[in-house]
């Protein structure tokens, strides 16, 4: 049952996209050209996302669209013609603007988690070093007997014995 609902939703999304592309090709071809070329990173990320983490494609699309919208603004400001669309696409800075948003999204989605994990690993290693130093100080203070005592574990936890009394 769930698979049929998911398949229907997917097919309706494809139909909606095809309808959008068909109407765009008829009524606004310059806009469709800019959108098609500018949103290429989002389309590639949609098909290259193997684990399909929730929200990654939406974030990529939002950042990418944020870079494409100013180029569309230039298109409407300078004249909505095919010639103007290709002139805008010939400018390297417009490509940087369109793909810069997608690049920023890629860094945020895939680069930041790696940095955070590295920071946590460094922090954990420092914590282990502090605990080792503390353990060595305890051994110096109490002697090696503390190591032997720590290996002996009571069969019944102390907390359980206190509750019974």
């Amino acid at each position: 049952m769930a698979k049929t609902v998911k398949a229907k939703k997917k097919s309706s999304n494809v139909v909606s996209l095809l309808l959008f592309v068909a109407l765009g090709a008829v009524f606004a071809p310059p806009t469709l050209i800019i959108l098609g070329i500018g949103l290429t990173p989002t389309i590639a990320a949609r098909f290259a996302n193997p684990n399909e983490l929730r929200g990654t494609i939406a974030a990529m699309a939002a950042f990418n669209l944020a870079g494409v919208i100013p180029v569309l603004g230039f298109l409407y400001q300078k004249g909505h013609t095919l010639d103007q669309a290709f002139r805008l696409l010939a400018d390297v800075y417009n490509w940087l603007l369109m793909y810069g948003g997608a690049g920023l999204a890629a860094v945020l989605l895939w680069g930041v988690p790696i940095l955070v994990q590295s920071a946590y690993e460094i922090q954990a290693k420092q914590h282990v070093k502090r605990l080792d130093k503390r353990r060595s100080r305890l051994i110096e203070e109490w002697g090696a007997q503390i190591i032997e005592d720590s290996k002996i574990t009571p069969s019944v936890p102390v907390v359980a014995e206190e509750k019974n009394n």
Side-chain angles (χ1 to χ4, degrees):
M1 178 72 181
K3 288 184 179 180
T4 58
V5 172
K6 196 172 185 178
K8 285 182 182 178
K9 184 178 178 184
K10 206 173 219 181
S11 66
S12 69
N13 287 343
V14 171
V15 170
S16 299
L17 181 65
L18 289 176
L19 182 64
F20 174 76
V21 169
L23 288 174
V26 171
F27 294 110
T31 300
L32 190 65
I33 290 170
I34 298 289
L35 280 174
I37 292 174
L39 293 177
T40 302
T42 300
I43 296 166
R46 169 66 181 98
F47 292 114
N49 191 7
N51 52 5
E52 296 185 19
L53 290 174
R54 188 175 177 96
T56 56
I57 302 303
M60 174 68 84
F63 276 87
N64 195 192
L65 195 60
V68 172
I69 287 177
V71 178
L72 287 175
F74 297 148
L75 176 69
Y76 288 120
Q77 183 182 18
K78 295 178 180 179
H80 191 254
T81 63
L82 285 172
D83 185 46
Q84 187 61 36
F86 290 121
R87 195 172 292 128
L88 286 172
L89 288 175
D91 188 6
V92 175
Y93 293 109
N94 288 330
W95 285 86
L96 180 65
L97 186 62
M98 290 189 295
Y99 289 165
L104 182 62
V107 167
L108 289 175
L109 292 172
W110 292 294
V112 170
I114 293 170
L115 291 175
V116 170
Q117 180 184 5
S118 300
Y120 277 137
E121 286 178 3
I122 291 170
Q123 187 179 20
K125 287 179 183 177
Q126 289 174 348
H127 187 67
V128 168
K129 284 182 183 178
R130 279 193 304 247
L131 289 175
D132 282 339
K133 286 181 183 178
R134 187 173 175 189
R135 179 177 177 258
S136 64
R137 280 185 286 172
L138 280 174
I139 290 172
E140 286 176 13
E141 184 177 334
W142 290 86
Q145 184 61 34
I146 196 168
I147 296 173
E148 297 299 322
D149 291 344
S150 68
K151 292 180 183 177
I152 301 171
T153 56
S155 58
V156 179
V158 177
V159 178
E161 285 180 355
E162 290 177 3
K163 287 183 181 178
N164 291 337
N165 290 335

